[in-house]
Amino acid sequence: MTKYKSIKRHLGSCRTLWQSAIPATLTDSEISSRVIDDRNILRRSLNSSKFGLHVLDLIQCGSLQPDRSLYNTLLKRCTQLGKLKEGKLVHFHILNSEFKDDLVIQNSVLFMYARCGSLEDARRLFDEMPCRDMVTWTSMITGYAQNESANDALVLFPEMLREGAKPNEFTLSSLVKCCGFIASYGYGKQIHACCWKFGCHSNVFVGSSLVDMYARCGYLGEARLVFDELGCKNEVSWNALITGHARKGEGEEALAMFVRMQREGYKATEFTYSALLGSCSSMGCLEQGKWLHAHLMKSGKKLVGYVGNTLLHMYAKSGSIWDAEKVFGKLVKVDIVSCNSMLIGYAQHGLGKEAVQHFEEMIRFGIVPNDITFLSVLTACSRARLLEEGKHYFGLMRKYNIEPEVSHYTAIVDLLGRAGLLDQAKSFIERMPIEPSVAIWGALLGACKMHKNTKMGAYAAQRVFELDPSYPGTHTLLANIYASVGRWEDVAKVRKIMKDSGLKKEPACSWVEIENSVHVFVANDLAHPQRDKIHKLWEELNQKIKEIGYVPDTSHVLLFVDQQDKELNLQYHSEKLALAFALLNTPPGSIIRIMKNIRVCGDCHSAIKYVSLVVKREIIVRDTNRFHHIRDGSCSCGDYWLTRLSILLAFRSCTAL
């Protein structure tokens, strides 16, 4: 009895639940005859003097004879419905019965606690059990796995083996999932070996978990080997491999697996579509995303939960914000995730007023904003020059008891910096209640580059160097600031620091999607099969846009060369080559969408605006910062990020630090 004292003491508080008993509509005799199958098996007691559940009252007064099946039925029902409080009442009653040492019932109690998320109760019972079997160990390990306590499950497994318990497919499947959760390839390989040792490697559940584990760890080759060796596959194993390819950015492989899955008679689930749509989002593959959307509708699935939000996000990130709005309007249930996805989309497209309106409607409908909501609306205000609105929403965070984080402070610095209020941005940083991070000083540095303020830019760069001397973006920005006004000696110094430190700038590339194929370009690209046609077309376009006012902005060439060489260097940037290719391979009048892995350069931005006048096409450019909707010679960003204010006049008198 002593080994149960701590459990009794822990469950003693359950007696207070008896005070809230409700009347029963069934008589004692009716419950006695129907108790095992009746859904009312968990009906509460008639009064506070009993045991909390009417069935337990009947047992206590002798109207119902308890046995193992009855207790297991009670525990099973508690487990299915997630009724932790009722499960504790049953457990307390068992501890005062003849079944208190019954291993089968103890396993049922342990499983109930684990499935209901009460791991402390489960582990307390586990440690005090006089004997354990394979079910006991598996229940505890599975409980840890299902409640995101992977390390605890992995630590428990060697103890299980030392006690001589033999794992089954459920034990090993849970352990493999744990390895996937923490992306531990080393542990995963060891558990895989155990799967072979205990003859479970060909089991479909274990195999699916192994595929998912290897994919999560980034070893898609091993994942594919396990998948191909599975004699029996299911939707879970297919989804694991498809998701692995999608997560690693291998969209074409993911789609190929999806097509093969359909051909072999397996039905796609919401997880399948979510993974594929996520892959389309990252690559900006709108046409493939539309095809998946059509396939999703054809399969009869509704826009619910994660798949609806992922579809919305795909349209927003692929440059079709209006399609994202349509999806939002058709969602079965609007939640905070879908609202945030819409706000993020508005922010990326520079639609600040729409973001503000969406936020206000969200509040009116009773959806409580979270930290991501405020970050999205602050970013939208920053990119749309809504200075006062941004300040208002930053102050509104306190009303919802949301403490601003580094990202929110960064958004305000960016808001002030884009507005040219560099001194206010600097003062704001100095007054913050938290220590400024690399991101915060980086936002100020970016604003200094935008407004050509070298003195403050050098100051911000120095703060970034102190916090993270290995970050190459800071050196690049500072070099850009110096180069834009011809301070080539300072440019050389910064580049020497980068070279000596082994820092490299990410190579720029642009890509377009044509007929479900993605074509990638780099500056001065000579590898594409249509390179001659592409170069010829751009040379013709370059001549035409010069005739209507385009002047190459050589300040973006960070080389100390003459004007002619600078213009030549600008001629074949990756986004210009991607644009020429798209014009060659898309029908007249259609929208052109270009993606870029870094921020679009100012000269290309200007050139593309003039091209939109010549070819009379809408051109959408997505870079790492935002979407640029360019049409009839103007851009949705209003050229704000390229604006040179009067600060440039003061800049010329700045001295090197």
Side-chain angles (χ1 to χ4, degrees), residues 46-90:
L46 293 173
N47 56 69
S48 60
S49 63
K50 301 299 181 179
F51 285 87
L53 294 179
H54 197 49
V55 174
L56 300 181
D57 295 343
L58 294 175
I59 295 174
Q60 192 65 23
C61 68
S63 298
L64 189 63
Q65 183 64 34
D67 57 18
R68 178 187 291 173
S69 175
L70 176 58
Y71 280 127
N72 277 329
T73 300
L74 283 165
L75 291 167
K76 180 180 179 181
R77 194 68 178 154
C78 291
T79 304
Q80 290 173 339
L81 299 176
K83 299 286 187 179
L84 179 60
K85 292 181 180 179
E86 288 77 359
K88 287 183 177 182
L89 291 172
V90 175

Side-chain angles (χ1 to χ4, degrees), residues 292-521:
L292 285 168
H293 185 186
H295 199 283
L296 177 68
M297 294 297 97
K298 187 178 179 181
S299 67
K301 290 181 169 55
K302 296 182 179 179
L303 297 180
V304 295
Y306 188 65
V307 68
N309 293 332
T310 309
L311 179 63
L312 187 160
H313 187 64
M314 182 278 297
Y315 276 121
K317 285 211 69 175
S318 299
S320 186
I321 189 66
W322 313 124
D323 283 322
E325 284 187 337
K326 292 177 183 178
V327 172
F328 182 82
K330 294 179 180 179
L331 291 176
V332 175
K333 181 181 179 181
V334 174
D335 56 15
I336 187 63
V337 177
S338 50
C339 286
N340 286 348
S341 296
M342 204 66 238
L343 279 172
I344 292 170
Y346 285 135
Q348 290 175 331
H349 288 264
L351 301 172
K353 293 181 180 179
E354 288 80 355
V356 168
Q357 182 180 355
H358 181 81
F359 180 89
E360 296 299 335
E361 289 179 357
M362 168 184 163
I363 299 300
R364 281 198 296 271
F365 279 102
I367 299 176
V368 180
N370 58 17
D371 56 331
I372 298 175
T373 313
F374 279 103
L375 178 59
S376 302
V377 76
L378 287 174
T379 303
C381 290
S382 174
R383 292 176 178 175
R385 294 175 284 179
L386 302 178
L387 181 62
E388 295 305 319
E389 290 86 343
K391 291 180 178 179
H392 166 71
Y393 289 122
F394 184 74
L396 193 63
M397 293 178 68
R398 300 188 184 281
K399 177 182 176 181
Y400 292 94
N401 298 318
I402 299 174
E403 193 66 28
E405 299 178 0
V406 171
S407 55
H408 300 97
Y409 286 112
T410 304
I412 292 297
V413 173
D414 188 58
L415 176 71
L416 295 170
R418 286 170 181 264
L421 304 174
L422 300 182
D423 290 331
Q424 288 189 30
K426 182 173 177 289
S427 298
F428 177 81
I429 294 174
E430 293 169 347
R431 295 194 310 267
M432 288 190 318
I434 64 172
E435 286 295 322
S437 66
V438 172
I440 290 173
W441 287 114
L444 181 60
L445 178 59
C448 292
K449 175 184 179 293
M450 182 189 306
H451 299 298
K452 311 297 181 180
N453 190 321
T454 53
K455 185 176 181 179
M456 192 175 292
Y459 173 80
Q462 184 60 38
R463 303 288 80 76
V464 177
F465 292 151
E466 292 172 357
L467 294 171
D468 187 6
S470 63
Y471 183 62
T474 308
H475 298 77
T476 303
L477 272 175
L478 187 58
N480 288 350
I481 293 174
Y482 288 140
S484 63
V485 290
R487 289 171 55 172
W488 301 109
E489 291 183 4
D490 293 317
V491 173
K493 290 178 182 178
V494 175
R495 286 186 169 178
K496 186 176 186 303
I497 294 173
M498 293 180 66
K499 182 178 180 181
D500 294 343
S501 304
L503 302 176
K504 294 182 179 180
K505 178 185 174 183
E506 182 183 4
C509 68
S510 302
W511 64 92
V512 291
E513 180 192 14
I514 306 292
E515 295 181 354
N516 293 326
S517 295
V518 177
H519 299 259
V520 183
F521 298 88

Side-chain angles (χ1 to χ4, degrees), residues 248-259:
K248 204 171 181 180
E250 299 176 354
E252 292 185 8
E253 290 81 357
L255 283 170
M257 289 297 299
F258 173 70
V259 173

Side-chain angles (χ1 to χ4, degrees), residues 103-250:
L103 180 59
V104 174
I105 291 180
Q106 286 180 330
N107 285 338
S108 297
V109 174
L110 176 63
F111 185 69
M112 181 273 297
Y113 279 135
R115 285 298 296 270
C116 291
S118 185
L119 292 181
E120 290 184 3
D121 291 318
R123 187 57 189 255
R124 187 181 294 109
L125 174 61
F126 177 85
D127 290 336
E128 296 186 1
M129 288 176 65
C131 61
R132 309 182 186 102
D133 61 4
M134 179 268 296
V135 176
T136 313
W137 289 95
T138 299
S139 295
M140 195 68 243
I141 289 173
T142 303
Y144 278 133
Q146 292 175 342
N147 289 277
E148 300 181 359
S149 298
N151 289 316
D152 293 319
L154 293 172
V155 168
L156 207 59
F157 183 54
E159 297 180 24
M160 175 183 180
L161 297 179
R162 281 194 293 270
E163 287 201 10
K166 182 180 177 181
N168 62 10
E169 64 269 23
F170 302 107
T171 321
L172 294 169
S173 177
S174 296
L175 289 165
V176 172
K177 289 178 182 177
C178 289
C179 296
F181 291 153
I182 61 175
S184 177
Y185 177 71
Y187 280 127
K189 290 283 287 185
Q190 294 180 45
I191 302 299
H192 191 180
C194 290
C195 295
W196 278 89
K197 179 179 179 180
F198 293 103
C200 297
H201 61 282
S202 59
N203 179 273
V204 65
F205 301 107
V206 175
S208 298
S209 299
L210 285 168
V211 173
D212 183 63
M213 181 273 295
Y214 281 123
R216 286 177 180 270
C217 293
Y219 291 85
L220 288 175
E222 284 88 339
R224 188 63 177 264
L225 285 174
V226 174
F227 178 83
D228 291 339
E229 290 175 358
L230 282 176
C232 179
K233 300 179 178 65
N234 60 11
E235 283 78 8
V236 177
S237 50
W238 282 97
N239 285 343
L241 195 57
I242 290 172
T243 303
H245 283 297
R247 190 184 295 117
K248 204 171 181 180
E250 299 176 354

